[in-house]
Structures are given as structure tokens and as C-alpha cells.
Amino acid sequence: QHLIEYNDQLQRKIYCSKSEQSKKIKKSNDDYSLFEYCGLEVPDVNGEGKDESDGNDNEPDDEPDDEKSKRKRKRRRKSASNKGKKNNNNVISDDLKRNDIYLKSEETPICECGTEKVKVGEEVVEKLRFVKGHFEVDVYHRDKFKCPNCEPPDGTNKFSYSQPLPPQIIPNSLFGNSVVVDITINKFLYSIPYYRQAKIYSEMGVNLSRSTMSRLVVEAYEICAPLLDLFLSDILNGEVINCDETPLQVMNEKDRENTKKSVFFALSGGTGGISRVFSYSDNKRQETVADLIGNFKGYLQTDASSIYNIFKNNKNIIMVPCLAHIRRKFFETSKNKYSSENSYCEKILSCINDIFFYEKALRECNFTNELFLSLRKEYIIPIMDYLKDLMNSIIMKIPQSSLFGKALNYGSTLWNNMYNFLEHHRLSCSNMIVENQIRPVKIGLRNYLFAGSPKGAEAMALFFSLIETAKLNLIEPSLYLNHIFDKIRNIPSDKLYTLLPWNCDLPRNYKFKSVYIDYYD
């Protein structure tokens, strides 16, 4: 009984909800009350059994119910409007530094009718800007003109201005591009939730609510969404794709409970091997993976999950398993002190570690692709052949239900496809490059736990793709996002490819060399 309870406790810790809140049990009329037994009178906090005449001596008893509900709704509307008005007036502190910027041109604008426009006043626009750990307010002053001869039928006259305002990802917003970039970088690069960012910004003199920050990120996503299709297109046109997935909890999904898990796919590859893409889906089915990468032709390296079995009969896709997942099965078996097959298990682990050693040593020599492939085959194929013969010779002697038997079945099933990684220089013996790519997502979910809506999950996928691809191309993520936000509204759709990291002329920062495992150079 003790072992059953202990096992049940461990399973709850792994699979069940971590909440310690108990469900409220409604009290029935037949429940035994300790207070009544002691002769104590306790008021009913739930309002059950309360006499309607008690406490209502000042109100008429014959007041209609609809009048009471109207009066209550009116009070709620008034308090809500006052609360919103108070928050809007206190967004920016008066102590922030203000920079006056005058946008004026020497020439007077000319109307289409040929008449010179007349200056009718000055427009003052404030934009919040984030500068290296603090906020500043840029106050733009520009002259306003109108044509005295052109009067539209509706009585409104179109104004023209001396100079346009700087490009902004969210037009007519108080928050400039640098503010949206800082919110995005804090959330998706440094894994800081919105509520913590709100506390940090309040100390800097800016009161930003979580809903406002979420709205800014989602609106920026809606403008930059076409870039995700370009990244995915580049990956599908490459020769190698590393793919992995992780569960993600998303709220307010259509026809789904909030407790159900969605999935986040991570893809790495591309024509130059320098693209990373994240994709959100509300289900983990084979059809979803087929829609995502079904048109790809080349090598697909995964963790051999069952959802990738749909590509087994696809002649255009060559499946490549991960040696790290095979090693994990034998490593777990080697920790069993009561197993009699530890000698075989240690021999298999030693051979697998040799494969990893040669893989790393040969890549550090910076050989040409042809020489690297030939040397890797020369050193690694004999080890793999020895492991194949060893597993086939002992697999029938080991009970299939044991840990070692399950590890042998798993490894021998994938071993024939394991040779495929020797055929391309961008393939490694393990799928760790995409495992490292998905690590920032898992670290972020440790902090902000879930996405508030499906659109928020899609925005998360886009900005993770932009940030991780910028790091892979040795570009500082904040610099790259600023570049995109400045250019994307004024660039035609057929020229969006110029905003991709490998096509822009932004400076490269080699401090990001240590962020990822470089299997490509």
C-alpha cells in the first residue's frame, strides 16, 4: 500500500495540475454545523437564508427589480470610465526628459491646383522613446498648411505638414518603435513577463499596463507576419531540416478547454543553414506536420516521435533519427543497480560516446565539406557496424519488458536510418541544434506559463523566429527588430525579402558565436 501511494504521488507531480486550490463545496441544508451545536450565531456570508427585510429599512420594498439592476449597471459604468481616464492621464511622468524636435522645410508646399498653401498653425506630437535604460519623450513640432482654394464638399479641408514624422510600426501611437522593441526583447529574449516589465517601467516613470504591452506586441505581429512565411519558405527550399516540438498552453482557443495543451514546432535549416522558424498549432497530429513541411525534399532529422511516421513512405524525405535520444535510453538503464546487463549497456554507451567524440573533433578541424564527409565515414562507420552487430546478437537474450530490452528495441529500430546523417555535412549525429533552439521557449514558459490567446501564441512564434534567426546570423536582436519596424511599412510586399537577416547590411556581433552550436561553418 505504501508503494502504491508513493507511485501515485509521483505520477500526480509529473502529470497533474500543480494548483493547491480546493474546489468549493456547496453547503447543503442537512450538513451538521458545529457553530449551531455550540449555540453561536454566525452570519451567513453567502447570503443564503437572509431575510429580505433585514438591512433594507431605508429602501422601499416595492421597488421593481429592473430599476435596481439599472441603478447598479449605471454605477459600474461610471466607475469603469473614471478608472480608465485616470490611467490614461498618468502613463508618462512629468519628470521625463523632453526633447523638442522642429520639423520644418524651407519650401512652401504647393497644392495640386497650383496654389501655394497657407500656414494655419502648428502640430505638436509626443512620442515615447526608450534609450539605454531610461525613457525620453520626443516632442515633434511641425507646421500645418492648407489650400485656401480647395474646399471639399463635406466641408473638411485636408491638411499637409512641413515634414513627415519618423516611421512607426504602430501609427498614431504614443509609443515609438524603441518602446515596442524593448517590450518584445524583454519578453522573448530575456523571458520577463509583462507584469514584471510593468514594475520596471513604473520605476522609470512610465505606467504601462499588461494589456497595453500585449496589444502593442500583437499589433506589431500583425504587420510583421509575412516575414514568417519567408523564413519558412527558405527552410523548405534547403536540403536539411532539424525539427522538434514542445507543448504549449494557450488560453481562449476555439472549442477547446484552457487545460488542453497545444504544440510549438521548431524548425532549423534553410538554403544557407541560417534560418530558424517557430510555428504554433492547436494540435499534435501527423496531418499538422504534413501541412507544415510536406513539400520539403531532403533530410529531416527529428527525435523519432510517432507524429513523423507520416513521412516514412515519402520518397522525397530521408528520415534521420537522433543519437542523443538513443543514448538516453541506455543511460537510464545503466543507472539501474539491480540490472544484470550493465556490462553490455556500458559497452554500448562507450561506443556511442566515441561517435560523439569523432563528430566534435572533426568539426573543429574546419575541413572542406568533401574531406569532412570522407573522414567522418572512415572513423564512424566501423563503430556503428560494431554496435549494430552487438545489439542484434543480444536483443533476443534480453526480456523485452525490461529497461534494457526497451532500449535495445528502440535503438535497433532506428539504427538503419542512423547511417543517413553521414551523407550530408550539415547533419550531425544528434538533433541538439534544434533542441538548443527550443530552449529559450521553455525558459520563457517557466516565467509567463502560457499564451493568453491564439493570436498571442502566433505573435510568440514570429518574434522567437526573428530573434533566434538574428542570433544565428550574429546580429543583435534589438538592432534587427528596430530595423524591421522602421522599414516594413514603407516597403512593397515583393521586396520584403530584403529585410531577412542575411540580406540586410546590419553589423555582425560575434559575441553570439557562443549562443548556439555551430554545425554549419
Side-chain angles (χ1 to χ4, degrees):
Q1 181 67 24
H2 169 70
L3 291 177
I4 292 174
E5 291 177 354
Y6 187 63
N7 182 56
D8 184 60
Q9 180 188 14
L10 292 178
Q11 288 189 348
R12 285 198 306 271
K13 287 184 178 181
I14 297 174
Y15 301 110
C16 296
S17 174
K18 304 299 188 296
S19 176
E20 298 178 355
Q21 184 177 3
S22 302
K23 292 184 178 180
K24 185 176 180 180
I25 302 176
K26 188 175 181 180
K27 177 182 173 183
S28 62
N29 295 330
D30 299 332
D31 287 345
Y32 187 81
S33 175
L34 176 64
F35 296 104
E36 295 176 359
Y37 176 78
C38 297
L40 300 177
E41 295 182 2
V42 181
D44 191 355
V45 294
N46 295 326
E48 298 178 359
K50 182 178 179 180
D51 190 1
E52 296 182 357
S53 61
D54 295 343
N56 295 328
D57 297 338
N58 297 329
E59 296 183 3
D61 295 335
D62 57 349
E63 184 178 1
D65 294 338
D66 56 348
E67 294 296 332
K68 295 180 181 179
S69 60
K70 286 181 182 179
R71 181 156 47 85
K72 291 181 179 179
R73 287 198 298 268
K74 186 175 181 181
R75 289 174 183 171
R76 290 195 196 100
R77 286 197 298 268
K78 185 176 180 180
S79 61
S81 61
N82 290 339
K83 183 179 180 181
K85 186 175 180 181
K86 180 179 179 181
N87 287 340
N88 291 334
N89 289 338
N90 295 331
V91 172
I92 301 177
S93 173
D94 296 333
D95 299 332
L96 293 181
K97 180 182 177 182
R98 280 170 165 75
N99 306 315
D100 292 319
I101 302 174
Y102 295 90
L103 302 176
K104 295 185 178 181
S105 60
E106 298 178 356
E107 299 179 357
T108 304
I110 306 297
C111 184
E112 297 178 355
C113 64
T115 308
E116 287 190 358
K117 293 188 176 182
V118 180
K119 179 180 177 181
V120 294
E122 182 184 64
E123 184 189 48
V124 180
V125 180
E126 290 187 351
K127 299 291 182 182
L128 186 64
R129 181 162 57 97
F130 180 80
V131 186
K132 293 182 180 180
H134 67 279
F135 287 96
E136 294 181 1
V137 180
D138 292 336
V139 184
Y140 294 94
H141 303 264
R142 57 177 183 168
D143 297 332
K144 184 163 47 174
F145 298 88
K146 77 172 182 177
C147 180
N149 296 332
C150 297
E151 187 69 25
D154 56 357
T156 60
N157 203 343
K158 293 183 178 180
F159 294 104
S160 63
Y161 302 94
S162 55
Q163 292 289 339
L165 292 173
Q168 197 169 351
I169 185 68
I170 304 176
N172 304 323
S173 174
L174 171 66
F175 309 101
N177 291 345
S178 58
V179 179
V180 184
V181 167
D182 189 64
I183 295 172
T184 306
I185 291 296
N186 286 337
K187 177 73 179 286
F188 302 112
L189 182 61
Y190 301 122
S191 304
I192 303 178
Y194 289 143
Y195 78 93
R196 294 185 192 168
Q197 294 189 49
K199 294 179 181 179
I200 296 172
Y201 291 155
S202 64
E203 296 176 357
M204 298 181 184
V206 176
N207 294 323
L208 273 174
S209 64
R210 288 178 288 177
S211 59
T212 301
M213 288 187 281
S214 177
R215 176 178 55 82
L216 292 174
V217 171
V218 170
E219 289 184 6
Y221 150 74
E222 293 174 347
I223 303 301
C224 302
L227 291 176
L228 192 61
D229 296 331
L230 295 181
F231 283 122
L232 184 59
S233 176
D234 179 70
I235 283 187
L236 295 181
N237 291 330
E239 299 175 350
V240 174
I241 291 181
N242 297 84
C243 186
D244 192 21
E245 74 286 336
T246 186
L248 171 72
Q249 189 170 357
V250 181
M251 302 296 181
N252 302 318
E253 289 179 312
K254 186 177 180 181
D255 300 330
R256 282 168 59 90
E257 297 179 0
N258 288 337
T259 55
K260 292 187 176 181
K261 292 293 183 71
S262 301
V263 65
F264 224 45
F265 290 97
L267 287 79
S268 179
T271 54
I274 47 178
S275 295
R276 287 180 172 176
V277 168
F278 293 87
S279 178
Y280 151 74
S281 176
D282 60 354
N283 63 79
K284 187 181 178 180
R285 293 196 291 262
Q286 294 183 355
E287 294 77 9
T288 304
V289 185
D291 293 339
L292 184 62
I293 53 178
N295 299 326
F296 170 69
K297 296 180 180 179
Y299 296 90
L300 177 62
Q301 188 170 28
T302 66
D303 56 0
S305 177
S306 59
I307 61 173
Y308 303 106
N309 292 338
I310 193 172
F311 299 121
K312 280 188 175 181
N313 300 324
N314 192 329
K315 298 180 180 180
N316 296 324
I317 296 179
I318 302 173
M319 300 299 297
V320 183
C322 175
L323 188 59
H325 285 77
I326 297 176
R327 180 177 62 179
R328 187 176 302 163
K329 301 287 185 180
F330 292 103
F331 180 79
E332 292 174 355
T333 305
S334 66
K335 295 298 181 181
N336 185 6
K337 299 179 181 180
Y338 304 101
S339 176
S340 60
E341 300 87 8
N342 281 347
S343 59
Y344 287 118
C345 192
E346 290 176 0
K347 189 179 296 185
I348 293 174
L349 285 175
S350 177
C351 293
I352 292 177
N353 291 335
D354 289 341
I355 296 176
F356 277 97
F357 171 78
Y358 285 120
E359 174 76 19
K360 182 179 179 181
L362 290 173
R363 288 193 179 276
E364 290 176 350
C365 295
N366 294 325
F367 293 125
T368 60
N369 295 336
E370 293 78 10
L371 181 59
F372 169 75
L373 289 175
S374 62
L375 290 175
R376 185 167 67 172
K377 291 179 180 179
E378 179 182 351
Y379 284 103
I380 293 181
I381 285 182
I383 303 175
M384 296 188 65
D385 291 341
Y386 172 77
L387 274 175
K388 181 179 180 180
D389 295 337
L390 179 61
M391 287 190 292
N392 290 335
S393 64
I394 64 176
I395 191 171
M396 300 304 297
K397 304 176 183 178
I398 305 300
Q400 302 298 305
S401 59
S402 64
L403 288 178
F404 189 49
K406 293 178 181 179
L408 285 174
N409 284 329
Y410 182 79
S412 60
T413 304
L414 302 176
W415 202 253
N416 288 333
N417 288 336
M418 198 68 235
Y419 286 87
N420 293 332
F421 87 93
L422 300 170
E423 303 299 328
H424 202 284
H425 66 279
R426 286 185 185 166
L427 283 170
S428 174
C429 57
S430 72
N431 200 30
M432 293 308 295
I433 187 169
V434 74
E435 299 278 350
N436 291 334
Q437 170 188 341
I438 215 166
R439 183 178 290 117
V441 178
K442 300 301 293 182
I443 294 175
L445 292 176
R446 290 274 185 174
N447 290 274
Y448 39 80
L449 303 180
F450 53 82
S453 65
K455 186 163 288 188
E458 293 172 0
M460 186 188 303
L462 170 69
F463 287 114
F464 268 120
S465 302
L466 295 177
I467 291 172
E468 293 302 315
T469 305
K471 289 161 57 177
L472 194 62
N473 287 266
L474 307 179
I475 301 176
E476 190 174 352
S478 59
L479 183 65
Y480 181 55
L481 290 184
N482 267 309
H483 175 73
I484 291 176
F485 290 174
D486 290 342
K487 303 287 186 181
I488 194 167
R489 278 194 172 272
N490 299 323
I491 196 170
S493 57
D494 57 342
K495 298 292 183 180
L496 282 177
Y497 67 91
T498 59
L499 296 179
L500 299 178
W502 50 88
N503 292 331
C504 61
D505 55 352
L506 295 175
R508 265 53 178 176
N509 192 336
Y510 286 90
K511 73 179 182 180
F512 292 112
K513 265 289 186 181
S514 60
V515 173
Y516 62 94
I517 301 175
D518 190 0
Y519 287 154
Y520 297 145
D521 294 341

